[in-house]
Every structure is written in structure tokens, then in C-alpha cells.
């Protein structure tokens, strides 16, 4: 079993991380991979529910998902259980794959650095997918929006609007709907 089997490539892999605390928690996280032919990865986590849950129980499930609404909602809140196909393992509806990682903190800084080891996973669906610049711009907008909410840096608002131009031009209905969620959150 290796990371590449589940769609991971060398570099930063954006996934929806599912962790467990008092309830199920969902948030986008970048899984950093040096060698996708291995089981090892790294995550850098700023203070969040995800970080707290991983510190408490050392587990994180990555979901490989392309649903724009799942990305937008998970960035600002937690998906409720109706969004899941199963909770054991935690699989978000229409996820292409899930992976379970064991996590160990290796650096207490901010962000804290965790070493991740792939222990289990499954490919549930697989289909060809073209690149959509609107979807990619949505992911960028979400990165800026979550940073904006954490820092209040006004310059990020301009970047979000630039992403909005691309989302409106290249995205589909779901990307545009997801961007509405972003705008509602930052206003
Ligand atoms: C595409 C994307 C990637 C992200 N990657 C990370 C990451 O690697 N580490 C991190 O701490 N936050 C990351 N974030 C921000 C968190 O998802 C965000 O702060 C979220 O609200 C945390 O939710 P939680 O408190 O439920 O864990 C990312 C956000 C997006 C949109």
C-alpha cells in the first residue's frame, strides 16, 4: 500500500481531513508528500479543531473529494453526519478515496508539524476528470478566506475577488454556489 494508489502525488495534496472529537470534524488540510510511492507524509496544522483532535487521538482520515460545496462548507464549519456515506471509516458522500493516517507530532511550533503514516485506505470510485480553473480558483479563494477569518488581513479580500472572476468565468453552477458560501462567510 502506498500513497500514490489513493491519488496522492509528490507535493501538497489538498484533501478534506476528518477527525473525531466531541463530534465528527471536517476541514481542508494540505497533506505534504515527498515520495508518493511511500506511506509517509507530513501535515502542518495551525490551531484548530483538527489540530486538537489529532493531538488527542493521533488519527486523521483524508477524503479525496471534488464536490465544491463540500469544500466550501468544510472550510468554515463541520459537515453533519448526513454528508457521510459511512462514519466507520468516515467517508464523505461521493468521495473518490479515503485514507487513514496515524499521526505523531514532531514539532510544537505554529504551525505544529505532524508525521503521518498511511495505515489503511480504499479507492471507492474512479473516473476521468478534466482540469477546471473555476474549481481550482475556488480552492484558492477558500485558502484566502480561511486566512482572512484567522488574521483579518484586508489584502486577502482583493485576492478572493480575483478568484471570484475566474470562478464566474470558468466554474459551473456548483463552483458559483460554493463561492456564494465564501462571500457570505467573509461579509
Ligand atoms: C485548501 C485549503 C487547505 C488548507 N490547509 C490547511 C493546512 O494544511 N493546515 C491548517 O492548519 N489549515 C489549513 N487550512 C485551513 C483550515 O481548513 C481552516 O482553518 C478550518 O476552518 C479549520 O477547521 P477546524 O477548526 O474544524 O479544524 C486549509 C484551508 C483550505 C481551504
Amino acid at each position: 500500500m502506498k500513497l500514490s494508489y489513493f491519488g496522492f502525488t509528490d507535493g501538497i495534496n489538498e484533501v478534506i481531513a476528518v477527525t473525531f472529537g466531541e463530534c465528527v470534524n471536517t476541514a481542508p488540510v494540505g497533506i505534504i508528500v515527498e515520495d508518493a510511492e511511500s506511506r509517509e507524509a507530513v501535515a502542518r496544522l495551525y490551531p484548530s479543531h483538527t489540530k486538537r483532535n489529532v493531538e488527542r487521538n493521533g488519527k486523521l482520515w483524508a477524503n479525496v473529494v471534488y464536490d465544491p460545496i463540500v469544500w466550501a462548507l468544510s472550510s468554515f464549519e463541520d459537515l453533519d453526519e448526513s454528508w457521510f456515506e459511512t462514519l466507520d471509516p468516515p467517508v464523505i458522500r461521493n468521495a473518490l478515496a479515503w485514507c487513514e493516517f496515524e499521526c505523531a507530532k514532531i514539532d510544537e511550533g505554529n504551525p505544529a508539524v505532524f508525521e503521518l503514516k498511511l495505515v489503511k485506505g480504499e479507492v471507492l470510485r474512479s473516473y476521468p476528470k478534466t482540469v477546471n480553473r473555476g474549481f481550482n480558483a475556488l480552492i484558492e479563494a477558500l485558502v484566502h478566506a480561511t486566512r482572512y477569518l484567522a488574521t483579518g488581513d484586508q489584502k486577502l479580500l482583493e485576492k478572493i475577488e480575483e478568484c471570484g472572476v475566474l470562478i464566474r468565468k470558468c466554474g459551473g453552477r456548483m463552483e458559483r454556489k460554493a463561492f456564494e458560501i465564501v462571500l457570505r462567510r467573509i461579509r
Side-chain angles (χ1 to χ4, degrees), residues 18-26 49 52-53 78-79 81:
V18 186
T19 56
F20 290 94
E22 286 90 55
C23 48
V24 59
N25 189 91
T26 52
H49 296 115
R52 195 186 57 194
N53 292 345
D78 295 326
L79 299 178
E81 295 185 5

Side-chain angles (χ1 to χ4, degrees), residues 1 20 24 31 33 47 54 62 68 80 101 107 117 130 132 138 142:
M1 195 175 36
F20 290 94
V24 59
I31 307 279
V33 173
V54 169
D80 68 37
F101 289 98
D107 191 315
K117 187 170 179 163
T130 61
N132 182 289
L138 171 70
L142 290 169

Side-chain angles (χ1 to χ4, degrees), residues 1-185:
M1 195 175 36
K2 49 191 183 178
L3 287 160
S4 62
Y5 182 72
F6 303 100
F8 288 78
T9 56
D10 294 359
I12 303 182
N13 296 260
E14 309 297 348
V15 300
I16 303 295
V18 186
T19 56
F20 290 94
E22 286 90 55
C23 48
V24 59
N25 189 91
T26 52
V29 163
I31 307 279
I32 305 162
V33 173
E34 210 164 285
D35 177 10
E37 302 309 308
S38 77
R39 292 177 178 220
E40 323 291 333
V42 162
R44 295 179 198 278
L45 297 179
Y46 290 93
S48 65
H49 296 115
T50 301
K51 177 176 180 251
R52 195 186 57 194
N53 292 345
V54 169
E55 279 168 341
R56 282 190 186 162
N57 52 36
K59 288 273 190 189
L60 178 153
W61 284 261
N63 272 230
V64 179
V65 192
Y66 281 107
D67 179 338
I69 304 297
V70 164
W71 278 92
L73 292 177
S74 303
S75 296
F76 306 113
E77 60 191 59
D78 295 326
L79 299 178
D80 68 37
E81 295 185 5
S82 69
W83 284 91
F84 285 82
E85 285 178 14
T86 73
L87 281 171
D88 185 19
V91 180
I92 296 167
R93 288 191 188 283
N94 298 319
L96 272 58
W98 63 271
C99 291
E100 179 181 331
F101 289 98
E102 269 168 12
C103 314
K105 202 194 287 176
I106 54 168
D107 191 315
E108 277 282 3
N110 190 23
V113 182
F114 293 82
E115 219 163 51
L116 271 50
K117 187 170 179 163
L118 173 66
V119 288
K120 253 184 241 166
E122 198 179 350
V123 176
L124 300 164
R125 308 171 173 85
S126 125
Y127 48 81
K129 192 166 176 354
T130 61
V131 174
N132 182 289
R133 292 171 69 207
F135 179 81
N136 291 352
L138 171 70
I139 301 300
E140 284 307 301
L142 290 169
V143 171
H144 297 318
T146 53
R147 283 196 188 139
Y148 171 71
L149 292 178
T151 65
D153 180 354
Q154 298 288 314
K155 277 183 261 156
L156 293 167
L157 294 176
E158 216 171 286
K159 294 191 174 184
I160 293 169
E161 208 24 71
E162 284 166 17
C163 293
V165 173
L166 258 179
I167 293 165
R168 290 185 192 104
K169 181 176 161 201
C170 304
R173 193 172 54 86
M174 297 313 270
E175 282 79 13
R176 290 195 294 273
K177 203 168 150 196
F179 189 60
E180 288 303 318
I181 295 172
V182 178
L183 293 179
R184 275 204 298 277
R185 290 303 171 134

